[in-house]
Amino acid sequence: MNIKNFLMIKLSKFSVDKKLDILIPLFLAILILVTRIPFMSKFLYEWDSVNYALGFNEYNITQEQPHSPGYIFYTALGKGVNYVFNDPNMTMICLAIFFTIFTTILIYFMVKELFGRKLSIVTGILFVFNPLIWFYGNIASIYIFEAFFSVLIAYTSYKFFKGDEKFLYISAIALGLAGGFRIDIVEFLIPLWIFCIWYKRPSYKKILTGLILFGSSLLLWIIPTAISAGGIEQYLTILKSTSEAASCTSLLFGATIKEQLLNSGACVMWLLLGLSIMGTLAVLSFLVYPRKELISKFIFYLKKPVTFFFLLWVGPALIFYLVIYVVKPGYILTCIPPIMIILAWIINRVANIINVEFPRISAKKALTLILTIYVLLNAIYFIYPFEINNGEIWETSLNDMSTSQKVMFGLDVGFIYNTAKINANDENTQLHVENILNISNYDPSSTIIVVRDITREDEGFNWRKAMYYLPSYDIYYLFDGENSENTKSVVSWHGKGQHFTKSEGDTLNITINDSTRRIVWIMSNETSFYQEVNAKFGVHTINLPNGLNIYYSDVGVQSNTTISDFTFKTG
């Protein structure tokens, strides 16, 4: 072969590679759009979604717009995009969809460098149809950014890890800026970044430059966030109050063994959901076949530097979630990208095992079959209208549930995150808003709304949603010894429009204006609070078709009435 022919072949191959690197990511992007757009939620999904939506209009973390630690870059990005849509729910979902696309493209190119194009395609498909990635790509939520920055920081760190020193600076900037979206990403990924520096050992000058860029990137979001909070001291106080949540989930911070087990159990369930049934079976197959080689496999891979790279990518976050705190499956999205990369590698190995055991089935056919089953099972899981949690226990507290009800409730919270859950949330939000408007005859001055917790507030109608969708109404969120651990006093949050005030004391007054004729109660009918309301005000019940109820009382003109140390005071 002469040099000319050789160069022609090389150029032809290069051209094909370039085309594939455009067509495959484009195909994955289209696949994401097709599988997300039909299932987008119509209402803000949860409490935090409202916080972000309010933050788009007025950034104020002291008013939880949004909540601590501030998410200032996400809020600014959302505010900008919201000028296009003028709909915070649509804005956040579109951000989730497009950043799912960006994350998938990053994964494709990263895995291509790690293991080649075949596994990059496999990983892309696994990621697109991952149950948690799919779910959080259809609701107003920030958690897709967990996955995006996890991959962005890991990929730029990997490029430096492989010898391209300019990526030391790029990864430093990405790591610092990530905190303006999700501060936990910085904490979880900094060990990986430090490992890459230690492994490559660049000059002290380059390390110092990288640290300066990292610190400067941090300050870009810390300074404006602290200023908006009233100063660094006030901001640190807000952060401290946020971190106290771990006292209810981790033994290390004073939680009970039961609370620790609930936290760790939730983490395990959500990890299994992230793996999915087919992924879990593939991992088990890889681990047990052949069993005698398991230890040697472990030792062999442990010696590879890239193994430490992946351990440091997924390990810090996973340990934190297992031991300290995890409250939503969205948190797990930090770990999903590396897990999907590892799963793609394992599935490819399992396909080779199948080929060895059944020579008539090629490894390629086996891999295609596994991927097809993975996609079909996850599609059925996500699209089929299946809900475990039935309406009869919506208002039942966890302590009052029977053993079988607790099991079903646990399975629902642990494993059901699909389009049925999104639709249930939309339906409940719409039903509550419509019925409250009807009860009040569309007159906000005639009705106040009092919110107590129900077991499934994410699919019910919480205080924050009431503030957002009924901004002209006076809305109270009441805590006492029955629904809060704070048994020494009672607490009231009063919200109207975008702002709220908080009051605490031995007794509190809830003002009933002269024009007020009704009180709408969002509460459980299995509480003593409900019994008091029924005895002193009387309760009308509206049964919703999904198992929830809306309660209201006709107030009229009457003397002051005290319920659970809250005095509903006229005038």
Side-chain angles (χ1 to χ4, degrees):
M1 181 184 297
N2 58 40
I3 295 177
K4 183 179 178 180
N5 289 338
F6 176 78
L7 290 174
M8 289 295 292
I9 292 171
K10 285 291 184 181
L11 286 172
S12 176
K13 185 178 179 181
F14 177 78
S15 178
V16 170
D17 285 345
K18 283 292 183 181
K19 287 179 181 177
L20 288 175
D21 285 342
I22 294 172
L23 292 175
I24 294 171
L26 180 61
F27 168 75
L28 292 172
I30 293 171
L31 200 57
I32 290 168
L33 292 173
V34 169
T35 56
R36 268 57 171 181
I37 291 175
F39 307 107
M40 295 188 300
S41 64
K42 298 176 180 63
F43 291 87
L44 295 170
Y45 184 76
E46 57 189 355
W47 183 296
D48 291 356
S49 306
V50 176
N51 290 346
Y52 297 125
L54 294 175
F56 294 166
N57 185 51
E58 179 187 341
Y59 186 81
N60 186 345
I61 62 174
T62 61
Q63 284 282 308
E64 296 197 9
Q65 298 176 194
H67 47 290
S68 174
Y71 314 96
I72 192 166
F73 287 165
Y74 176 75
T75 308
L77 177 62
K79 185 180 181 72
V81 175
N82 198 49
Y83 282 121
V84 177
F85 293 104
N86 196 29
D87 178 351
N89 183 63
M90 179 63 72
T91 291
M92 283 185 270
I93 294 173
C94 286
L95 284 174
I97 291 173
F98 282 106
F99 274 85
T100 301
I101 292 172
F102 299 153
T103 308
T104 307
I105 292 171
L106 283 174
I107 289 173
Y108 168 80
F109 285 106
M110 182 177 183
V111 178
K112 183 189 171 190
E113 289 190 33
L114 274 162
F115 303 118
R117 178 173 282 112
K118 181 176 73 171
L119 283 190
S120 70
I121 296 171
V122 173
T123 309
I125 292 172
L126 294 178
F127 187 79
V128 169
F129 287 95
N130 180 275
L132 291 178
I133 297 297
W134 199 344
F135 179 80
Y136 279 100
N138 284 281
I139 63 173
S141 167
I142 195 174
Y143 294 109
I144 287 296
F145 284 81
E146 292 269 0
F148 173 74
F149 279 103
S150 177
V151 178
L152 178 63
I153 295 165
Y155 188 22
T156 53
S157 296
Y158 177 76
K159 298 284 281 186
F160 170 61
F161 177 79
K162 294 301 289 183
D164 193 337
E165 291 196 340
K166 68 175 178 287
F167 279 94
L168 168 61
Y169 311 132
I170 297 173
S171 60
I173 295 170
L175 183 62
L177 294 179
F181 290 84
R182 291 285 298 178
I183 193 172
D184 56 339
I185 291 291
V186 181
E187 299 163 348
F188 296 148
L189 272 295
I190 198 168
L192 174 65
W193 188 66
I194 292 172
F195 167 73
C196 291
I197 293 174
W198 172 84
Y199 182 77
K200 293 309 297 181
R201 301 195 193 306
S203 68
Y204 289 118
K205 181 180 178 181
K206 290 178 180 178
I207 293 175
L208 180 60
T209 303
L211 290 172
I212 291 171
L213 288 171
F214 171 60
S216 301
S217 300
L218 285 175
L219 292 176
L220 283 175
W221 62 267
I222 290 175
I223 291 174
T225 305
I227 291 172
S228 70
I232 189 66
E233 187 175 342
Q234 179 66 20
Y235 184 53
L236 291 174
T237 301
I238 293 172
L239 289 178
K240 183 180 178 182
S241 65
T242 304
S243 65
E244 290 173 356
S247 63
C248 298
T249 58
S250 175
L251 279 171
L252 298 177
F253 293 88
T256 64
I257 294 176
K258 179 182 178 181
E259 289 170 332
Q260 176 70 78
L261 290 174
L262 286 172
N263 182 81
S264 301
C267 181
V268 171
M269 285 192 292
W270 292 333
L271 282 170
L272 289 174
L273 177 58
L275 272 176
S276 77
I277 293 173
M278 200 62 196
T280 302
L281 291 174
V283 171
L284 291 175
S285 300
F286 174 74
L287 290 176
V288 301
Y289 180 88
R291 292 182 189 176
K292 62 182 180 181
E293 294 183 7
L294 183 58
I295 296 176
S296 61
K297 283 180 187 176
F298 177 76
I299 294 173
F300 173 77
Y301 291 114
L302 195 60
K303 293 178 180 179
K304 293 180 173 291
V306 73
T307 302
F308 283 98
F309 181 93
F310 273 91
L311 287 174
L312 287 171
W313 186 0
V314 74
L318 187 56
I319 292 170
F320 181 88
Y321 296 145
L322 277 169
V323 178
I324 308 297
Y325 182 76
V326 63
V327 69
K328 300 175 187 175
Y331 286 32
I332 305 294
L333 267 59
T334 310
C335 304
I336 291 298
I339 288 175
M340 290 300 97
I341 294 172
I342 296 168
L343 180 60
W345 184 87
I346 287 174
I347 285 175
N348 187 55
R349 291 287 175 140
V350 171
N352 291 329
I353 291 171
I354 292 173
N355 174 242
V356 170
E357 293 294 323
F358 306 97
R360 291 185 179 180
I361 303 176
S362 68
K364 184 178 179 180
K365 287 183 179 179
L367 180 61
T368 303
L369 179 62
I370 294 170
L371 271 181
T372 302
I373 295 173
Y374 174 91
V375 169
L376 287 175
L377 288 179
N378 287 355
I380 291 169
Y381 161 85
F382 186 78
I383 297 171
Y384 188 78
F386 178 69
E387 270 195 298
I388 291 178
N389 188 41
N390 54 46
E392 68 182 28
I393 60 171
W394 281 84
E395 298 181 23
T396 306
S397 69
L398 194 59
N399 292 332
D400 294 330
M401 290 182 190
S402 66
T403 300
S404 61
Q405 287 174 333
K406 286 180 179 178
V407 170
M408 298 302 284
F409 177 76
L411 290 173
D412 184 56
V413 172
F415 293 112
I416 305 301
Y417 291 88
N418 58 3
T419 188
K421 182 162 284 191
I422 294 172
N423 291 339
N425 184 287
D426 287 342
E427 181 184 29
N428 286 330
T429 302
Q430 182 174 355
L431 286 170
H432 276 83
V433 172
E434 289 177 349
N435 278 277
I436 290 171
L437 290 173
N438 288 331
I439 290 168
S440 66
N441 292 318
Y442 289 80
D443 180 8
S445 66
S446 72
T447 303
I448 66 172
I449 302 169
V450 175
V451 179
R452 303 268 290 180
D453 290 314
I454 63 168
T455 302
R456 298 308 306 277
E457 73 163 21
D458 62 328
E459 293 173 42
F461 191 67
N462 58 47
W463 175 72
R464 207 59 166 150
K465 284 187 182 180
M467 282 183 63
Y468 184 81
Y469 287 109
L470 299 165
S472 299
Y473 289 73
D474 287 288
I475 304 166
Y476 293 87
Y477 192 16
L478 305 184
F479 296 91
D480 55 32
E482 188 175 25
N483 71 330
S484 172
E485 294 180 358
N486 187 352
T487 57
K488 295 181 180 179
S489 61
V490 291
V491 179
S492 169
W493 292 15
H494 172 225
K496 189 172 185 177
Q498 286 209 197
H499 301 283
F500 68 87
T501 56
K502 180 180 178 182
S503 303
E504 185 172 353
D506 294 329
T507 61
L508 291 175
N509 292 332
I510 307 298
T511 301
I512 299 178
N513 298 321
D514 293 337
S515 60
T516 302
R517 293 294 176 263
R518 291 185 178 86
I519 301 176
V520 173
W521 311 92
I522 309 300
M523 61 181 176
S524 166
N525 62 8
E526 300 183 17
T527 60
S528 61
F529 187 90
Y530 171 88
Q531 299 302 327
E532 284 192 66
V533 171
N534 193 29
K536 296 179 180 179
F537 280 114
V539 172
H540 301 283
T541 303
I542 298 176
N543 303 117
L544 302 183
N546 52 16
L548 276 173
N549 302 305
I550 293 178
Y551 306 101
Y552 70 94
S553 302
D554 294 313
V555 177
V557 179
Q558 56 181 287
S559 59
N560 300 337
T561 304
T562 299
I563 297 174
S564 186
D565 293 322
F566 297 99
T567 300
F568 291 80
K569 191 173 183 178
T570 57

